[in-house]
Amino acid sequence: MQAAADGVVVGAMVGLAALGLTLVWAVERFPNIAQGDTLTLAAYLTFGLSVGAQLPIVPAAVLAVGGTTLAVQAAYQTAFRPLRTSPRVTLLVASIGVALVIRAIVSLVWGTRLQSYDLPVRRAISLGLFHVSLVDIVILVTVLGLVGAVYWILYRSRAGIEMRAVADVPDLARVTGIDTRRVLRFTWLLSGFVTAVAGVLLGAKIGLTPLLGWNLLLAAFAATVLGSVGHPLGAIAGGFVLGLAMELSTVFISPTFKEAIAFVILAAVLLFRPRGLLAGR
Amino acid sequence: MFTQATNRIALLACAALAFAGCAGAAPPVGSPGGGAATGDTIKIGALLPLTGDGANYGPGMQAAIQIAVDEVNAAGGVLGKQLQLVTEDDATNPDQGVRGAHKLIDVNKVNAIVGTWASSVTLAVTPLTIPANIIEINVSGSPQITELQDNGTVFRANATDAALAKVVADQFYRDGIRTVTVISNNTAGTIGLADSFKTSFTAAGGQVLETITYAEGQPSYRSEVNKALATKPDLFLVSCYTPDGTLIFKEAFEAGATGKWAAPAFCLNNQLVEGAGTEAVEGAIAFDLVAVKDSPAYQRLNEAYKAKTGEEAFDNVYAVHVYDAVHLLALAMQKAGSTDGQAVGAQMIEVSKAAGDKVSSFSEGAKLLRDGGDVDYDGASGAIDFDQAGDMAPYVGIFVFKAGKPELTQTFAGQ
C-alpha cells in the first residue's frame, strides 16, 4: 500500500512535468527540451523570493509562477517564434540552447550547491494503511486541480478549442480565421504556467540543484509518449502509470532496477499501442 | 493531436536527450606529452567538481589549489618557473570529466591534473592521463584506483574506501552494533564504500542484513527507505552523495524512522542538514578524513582559506588534501628536475616518505632540495606517505550530529 501511495505521488509530479511538455508538443510539433530547466527556474525563483527576499512561501510561489510564465513567453518570442517556419529539428536544437542558457543563469545567480526552501520537515501523516507528508498532499491536490483546469480550457473555452484546431490541422485552422499567432502565444503561456507550478512543487519535494528539472525530463518524455503525444490527460495518466510501476516494482525486485522497469513498460506499450495508451480517435 | 511527424521528432528528442549531456565529440589524445616543460611556466590543470554532486567541495578545492600555487610561486616557483593554474569543471560526471581532461591535456598542455573527486570521474580520466604521461592526483575513494596500471603516475590524496570503511566498521562493532543495512548510491565511489564496509564489518563479526542500491537523480527514494526500514538493523549506513542523501534522510524521518543512521561526511554535511532538517539527522554519525588542525601547514592554509572563502578549511577536507597535493607535486618536480610524468611520480613517493627531513611548506622544502637534501613533506592533512600504488593513509574522524552541528567524537591517525 505504501508503495502504491508513493507511486501516485511520483506519478503526479512526472505527470505535471509531462503536461507542460505535451501542450507545446501538440501545437508546435517539437519537444521542448528547455522544459526541464523551466522547472528548475521556477523552483529557484521561489527559493530566491522566499529565502532571499524573505517573502512568505505562498506569495513567493505565486510570484515565481508568474515570473517563470513570463520567462517562458520571452523565450518563445525571442528564440522560438523567429524559427516558426524552420524545420522542427531546428526548434528542437533551439530549445536545447534555451535549456543551457536557463541552467547557466540559475547556476550563476544561485550557485550550484544544494539548496532548499525554508519549510519545516515533519513526520508524515498516517492514514491507516499508509502515510503521506503534507507536501505530498499539496502536490496531489494541485495536480488534480490543474488537470481539471487545463481540461476545461482545452475543451470548453474558445481559446482551447482554437488550440486544438491548430494542433490538428494548422492550415485549415488558419483558413477558418483562427489567429494562429494568438493561439501559439496562449499555448506557450499555458505550458509555461503548468510547468512553473510543477517546478515550484518539485523544489519543495526534492530540494534545489541546477539539474533538478533536467533529471526529471526523461521520465516526463516517457510519460508523454506513453499517454500519446499531445494528449493532456494522457500525459497525466502516463505519469501515474510510470510512477506506480516504478514504486510497485520495488516490492518484488531490487530498487536498482526501478528506472529500467519504467522503460520496459514504455517499450511494451509502444510495441502494442505505438501511438500511446490514449491515442486513437 | 498526433501525427506521423511527431513520432519521428520523438525519436530525435530521445537522441537529443542522450547527446545534449555530452555534446561535442572530443578529439583523440595527442602524442604522449609531459617531457620537459616548454615555455616559461609549468601548467597545472585543476579538474574539479564545481557543479553536480561534489559541488559542496569543488569551489573550496579551487580556492585551496590557488592558495598552494600562489605559495609555490611566491617561493620562486618550481625549477625556476612559475606554476600556472588552468581550471575545468568536471560536473561530478565522467563524460564531462573526460571532456575537461581532453581540453587540459590537448589544448592547455598541462603537466599534471589535480583534484578529480568522484571515483567515477577519476576512473574515466586516468585512461587519458596515463598515456599522456602526466601526473594525476585525485581525492577519490574507490579501491579500483589502486589497481590501475599507471606507471606510477596516479596518486590518491585520500584514504581508499577500504581503509576508511575498515576504521568505521571496527568502531561500529566496538560500539555494540551487530547488524547493519546499507543503502547505497549506484556510482563507483559509493558502491566501493558500501562493498568495503560489508567486507570489513563481516570480518569484524557483524552482519550486513541487506544492501539496497539506488540510481541517483530520482524525485523520491521512499520505496528504498521503506525497504530498508523493514529490515530493522542496529544501524543504517547510507553511502550517498549530498543531493540524494538529503532526500533519503528527509524521507526516512517523514516515514517515522528511528534508530541509528550513519553516512560518509562527504554526503552527510551542513548542506544536507539544511535540506533535510535538524531533527532528521539528530544523532546521525558522519565519518570521513579530517585535516590535522594543529599542523603548521593547516594553520597557514586555514588563514589564507578563511580570507578567500570566509569558511574554515576544516569543513572541506578535500580542499586540505588538494592543497597538500599541489605542494607534493611541486616538490617532486623540483626533485626530479623535470616534469616528465614517470620521473615526477617516482619522486612523489620520495618527497612524502618519512626518511627525509620534515618540512611543512614548499619554500623550506625547495631550499633543502636545492642543497641536495631529502625532504618529507608533512601537510595539513597529516604526515602523508605515498606507497608504491600511490595510496596514502590519512586521518579519519567520526562525527555525531547534535542540534544540526557535527561534533568530532573520535580521530584515528593514519596507519
Side-chain angles (χ1 to χ4, degrees), chain A residues 2 6 10 13-14 25-26 29-31 33 88-89 92 96 112-116 121-124 131-133 136 154 164 167-168 202 204-207 209 211 214-218 221 225 228-232 246-247 250-256 258-259 274-275 281, chain B residues 1-7 9-10 12-14 16-17 20-21 50-52 55-57 59-60 91 186 211-224 226-227 242-243 246-247 250-258 271-272 274-277 279-280 311 316:
Chain A
Q2 184 63 46
D6 297 340
V10 171
M13 281 190 295
V14 172
W25 204 336
R29 296 207 163 72
F30 79 95
I33 305 283
R88 302 292 93 179
V89 177
L92 175 69
I96 297 177
T112 54
R113 289 187 175 191
L114 181 73
Q115 315 264 22
S116 50
V121 178
R122 292 206 193 90
R123 296 281 191 189
H131 37 244
V132 291
S133 72
D136 295 343
L154 283 182
R164 288 191 298 136
D168 280 344
L202 202 61
K205 172 91 180 141
I206 308 182
T209 69
L211 292 180
W214 178 257
N215 286 336
L216 201 70
L217 195 57
L218 200 57
F221 262 101
V225 175
S228 309
V229 170
H231 200 303
M246 282 164 73
E247 296 300 316
T250 60
V251 177
F252 307 105
I253 60 166
S254 159
T256 318
K258 79 176 181 188
E259 282 194 312
R275 290 168 155 215
R281 268 173 298 124
Chain B
M1 288 192 175
F2 190 96
T3 65
Q4 200 63 47
T6 39
N7 230 346
I9 297 280
L12 270 167
C14 291
L17 268 178
L50 298 179
T51 56
N56 290 333
Y57 300 104
N186 194 11
T211 302
I212 296 164
T213 335
Y214 61 86
E216 60 182 1
Q218 292 181 48
S220 165
Y221 296 102
R222 211 172 291 157
S223 51
E224 286 86 342
N226 287 328
K227 206 158 188 173
T242 305
T246 305
L247 215 48
K250 189 158 99 179
E251 291 183 334
F253 179 75
E254 286 176 349
T258 50
Q271 226 81 43
L272 187 146
E274 252 175 58
E279 273 181 274
E311 290 166 22
N316 185 345

Side-chain angles (χ1 to χ4, degrees), chain B residues 52-410:
Chain B
D53 290 339
N56 290 333
Y57 300 104
M61 292 166 72
Q62 188 179 10
I65 292 177
Q66 186 66 56
I67 292 167
V69 165
D70 290 347
E71 281 180 21
V72 170
N73 286 340
V78 176
L79 303 171
K81 291 176 181 175
Q82 296 279 296
L83 295 185
Q84 187 191 343
L85 189 63
V86 188
T87 305
E88 281 292 320
D89 179 16
D90 69 29
T92 329
N93 172 326
D95 293 344
Q96 181 94 23
V98 165
R99 256 178 296 153
H102 265 298
K103 191 223 159 209
L104 289 172
I105 295 170
D106 297 337
V107 179
N108 302 111
K109 313 261 186 239
V110 296
N111 296 106
I113 289 182
V114 182
T116 50
W117 182 84
S119 296
S120 54
V121 176
T122 300
L123 289 167
V125 162
T126 45
L128 304 182
T129 62
I130 295 167
N133 192 26
I134 62 171
I135 298 283
E136 206 279 346
I137 310 179
N138 59 78
V139 291
S140 308
S142 168
Q144 283 170 272
I145 297 166
T146 307
E147 289 147 27
L148 291 173
Q149 296 300 312
D150 57 16
N151 307 321
T153 59
V154 176
F155 292 87
R156 182 205 307 267
N158 187 348
T160 67
D161 286 329
L164 179 62
K166 181 164 182 359
V167 171
V168 174
D170 289 350
Q171 185 57 39
F172 285 169
Y173 192 82
R174 275 196 293 277
D175 289 343
I177 289 159
R178 294 294 175 267
T179 53
V180 172
T181 291
V182 180
I183 309 171
S184 174
N185 187 338
N186 194 11
T187 69
T190 44
I191 284 279
L193 181 64
D195 288 348
S196 305
F197 178 84
K198 186 174 182 178
T199 311
S200 295
F201 194 61
T202 311
Q207 190 194 353
V208 171
L209 299 177
E210 193 165 354
T211 302
I212 296 164
T213 335
Y214 61 86
E216 60 182 1
Q218 292 181 48
S220 165
Y221 296 102
R222 211 172 291 157
S223 51
E224 286 86 342
V225 166
N226 287 328
K227 206 158 188 173
L229 291 179
T231 58
K232 300 193 195 320
D234 293 341
L235 178 132
F236 299 90
L237 175 70
V238 192
S239 183
C240 48
Y241 286 137
T242 305
D244 38 283
T246 305
L247 215 48
I248 287 175
F249 272 88
K250 189 158 99 179
E251 291 183 334
F253 179 75
E254 286 176 349
T258 50
K260 274 188 156 69
W261 289 72
F266 59 71
C267 167
L268 178 46
N269 51 26
N270 297 337
Q271 226 81 43
L272 187 146
V273 177
E274 252 175 58
T278 314
E279 273 181 274
V281 297
E282 187 61 24
I285 302 162
F287 54 87
D288 204 349
L289 325 177
V290 283
V292 183
K293 268 186 170 169
D294 53 7
S295 65
Y298 175 80
Q299 285 162 9
R300 192 177 63 235
L301 163 67
N302 193 36
E303 201 173 304
Y305 189 84
K306 258 200 291 201
K308 220 177 173 94
T309 65
E311 290 166 22
E312 292 280 328
F314 192 77
D315 295 337
N316 185 345
V317 72
Y318 301 102
V320 176
H321 277 268
V322 290
Y323 171 82
D324 284 344
V326 171
H327 277 81
L328 287 162
L329 178 67
L331 287 169
M333 283 178 172
Q334 182 75 35
K335 187 160 191 201
S338 97
T339 54
D340 175 82
Q342 290 188 38
V344 176
Q347 298 306 330
M348 286 283 287
I349 297 171
E350 290 298 315
V351 297
S352 69
K353 77 178 180 192
D357 291 335
K358 296 213 178 305
V359 296
S360 60
S361 70
F362 178 78
S363 56
E364 289 172 63
K367 192 183 292 168
L368 264 175
L369 287 176
R370 275 194 290 268
D371 298 342
D374 273 337
V375 300
D376 167 28
Y377 175 77
D378 283 4
S381 59
I384 314 175
D385 293 314
F386 282 121
D387 63 17
Q388 289 300 327
D391 288 341
M392 58 176 278
Y395 283 56
V396 174
I398 292 185
F399 302 81
V400 174
F401 274 85
K402 295 226 172 82
K405 295 266 175 292
E407 285 177 17
L408 184 63
T409 55
Q410 278 160 316

Side-chain angles (χ1 to χ4, degrees), chain B residues 19-64:
Chain B
F19 283 107
C22 53
V29 187
S31 58
T38 49
D40 306 329
T41 59
I42 294 176
K43 285 189 179 165
I44 307 290
L47 190 57
L48 300 170
L50 298 179
T51 56
D53 290 339
N56 290 333
Y57 300 104
M61 292 166 72
Q62 188 179 10

